[in-house]
Amino acid sequence: MKKITLALAAVTLSVGLTACGTTETGGPRPKTPMPSVVPNGPEYADADAVMKAMGAGGVECKLLRRAQANFGSGLDCMAEVDGAEVENEIHVLDPARFTRDDIGDSIAGRRQPPYSHTIVAAGNWYVWVRNPDYAPQVAKALQGVVLKPLGKGKS
């Protein structure tokens, strides 16, 4: 009986994992396109360039850590905005490997529950501004737009 229960659990897990990211017909799930309000530019070569642009736009951000990324580049930095420390998570996707819809799909995953993050985006990059009250200042510095969360979640 124990072997049958383990076998059923393994099959159930296998089916569940196979279904992730697919439609009922077995094909890949459709990507969530980039929101139409997100401008095509500016584009940046890497996350360091976004951090530098933030500084040039009046929101100096100091490197906290780099992300190991196979999508392009990423880093976390701390900015001071109106006297408050604001942590930011920067992601830059390589446009030679990823389409605008790939980037939009990545952003959508961050904006939906359970995450429900506030995102600043444009071109080939996006920033999770961990304190959403300061997203407008980050957006202005980077010439991006603020994308509010879709549903309730962490922030």
Side-chain angles (χ1 to χ4, degrees):
M1 182 68 168
K2 192 173 187 180
K3 287 183 181 180
I4 292 172
T5 304
L6 289 174
L8 286 173
V11 169
T12 303
L13 180 60
S14 174
V15 170
L17 291 175
T18 303
C20 290
T22 62
T23 64
E24 288 180 19
T25 60
R29 70 167 178 74
K31 290 185 174 112
T32 302
M34 179 74 83
S36 61
V37 298
V38 176
N40 290 328
E43 287 192 346
Y44 294 103
D46 55 34
D48 288 288
V50 174
M51 189 171 67
K52 183 177 179 184
M54 283 177 71
V59 179
E60 191 70 35
C61 207
K62 294 185 171 108
L63 179 67
L64 295 174
R65 62 196 149 278
R66 295 188 184 283
Q68 295 290 335
N70 63 2
F71 56 83
S73 70
L75 61 79
D76 294 349
C77 65
M78 185 69 72
E80 187 174 314
V81 181
D82 297 335
E85 288 190 332
V86 180
E87 190 169 339
N88 302 281
E89 187 178 295
I90 300 171
H91 298 270
V92 177
L93 283 79
D94 179 0
R97 293 177 39 213
F98 298 99
T99 67
R100 196 159 157 83
D101 283 350
D102 291 326
I103 299 166
D105 201 53
S106 184
I107 290 170
R110 297 276 188 152
R111 293 176 65 206
Q112 297 170 357
Y115 304 108
S116 299
H117 298 315
T118 297
I119 301 293
V120 171
N124 63 327
W125 56 269
Y126 62 93
V127 178
W128 169 26
V129 182
R130 295 199 180 192
N131 185 333
D133 293 339
Y134 299 100
Q137 290 92 325
V138 173
K140 183 178 179 186
L142 291 171
Q143 301 171 28
V145 295
V146 176
L147 301 171
K148 295 190 181 217
L150 302 170
K152 296 187 181 204
K154 295 177 184 177
S155 75

